[in-house]
Amino acid sequence: MKHATLAIAFILALFCFIAPVRAASAYTGNLEGAIAHLLETRSCVGCDLHNADLSNKDLRGVNLTRANLRKANLSGANMMAVNLQNADLHDADFRGADFLAVNLINANLRDAKFRRINLDSSRLCNTTTPEGKVTNRDC
């Protein structure tokens, strides 16, 4: 009985780690599905959101770890406490977005567009800046 309980616990734990990976990969190449999934679940780990229009969206607290947000429009978005660790934000538009406590560790912001953005409260470690320099401020 004890072994059966351990086996069931192991299988359930395994599904907890596999399910998010499978969910994110289901939206590869399906931009509308990925956006809907993100807005509904507040998480889209590893999603392909290349060219996504997320302008003026409420993205507070969303998890976009390892997401591809190249050329995404995030202008005017509320990005408080967003996890963008290891995200590709190359050439993304953040003009007028509300940044507060954003995790940008290992993120690529090369050529990203910023206006009136204060990154003082954001975490920057091995983060590529819009100018192409790497900053390690919070390592």
Side-chain angles (χ1 to χ4, degrees):
M1 185 69 166
K2 196 180 217 182
H3 293 294
T5 304
L6 287 174
I8 291 170
F10 175 76
I11 291 170
L12 289 175
L14 186 63
F15 281 114
C16 289
F17 292 108
I18 292 174
V21 174
R22 292 183 66 196
S25 64
Y27 298 105
T28 302
N30 180 358
L31 184 58
E32 294 81 21
I35 292 171
H37 176 75
L38 169 65
L39 297 175
E40 180 182 329
T41 67
R42 314 298 290 165
S43 181
C44 206
V45 175
C47 281
D48 185 1
L49 294 164
H50 180 245
N51 284 322
D53 184 4
L54 297 168
S55 58
N56 301 306
K57 298 287 189 226
D58 181 4
L59 301 175
R60 286 177 294 175
V62 301
N63 184 3
L64 288 164
T65 302
R66 295 186 321 274
N68 176 6
L69 288 153
R70 280 179 165 255
K71 298 185 179 183
N73 182 359
L74 295 143
S75 60
N78 184 341
M79 304 200 54
M80 183 172 41
V82 172
N83 187 355
L84 291 167
Q85 188 168 345
N86 296 303
D88 186 355
L89 305 160
H90 184 263
D91 206 24
D93 186 353
F94 292 102
R95 291 178 285 197
D98 185 19
F99 264 63
L100 183 62
V102 176
N103 181 354
L104 292 165
I105 294 174
N106 295 316
N108 177 12
L109 293 165
R110 188 178 192 96
D111 297 324
K113 296 159 192 71
F114 286 93
R115 183 181 63 211
R116 298 184 322 242
I117 301 288
N118 185 346
L119 295 176
D120 289 346
S121 67
S122 297
R123 293 193 62 203
L124 306 174
C125 178
N126 196 37
T127 304
T128 304
T129 66
E131 299 79 26
K133 296 179 181 174
V134 175
T135 181
N136 289 308
R137 182 185 76 193
D138 301 314
C139 294

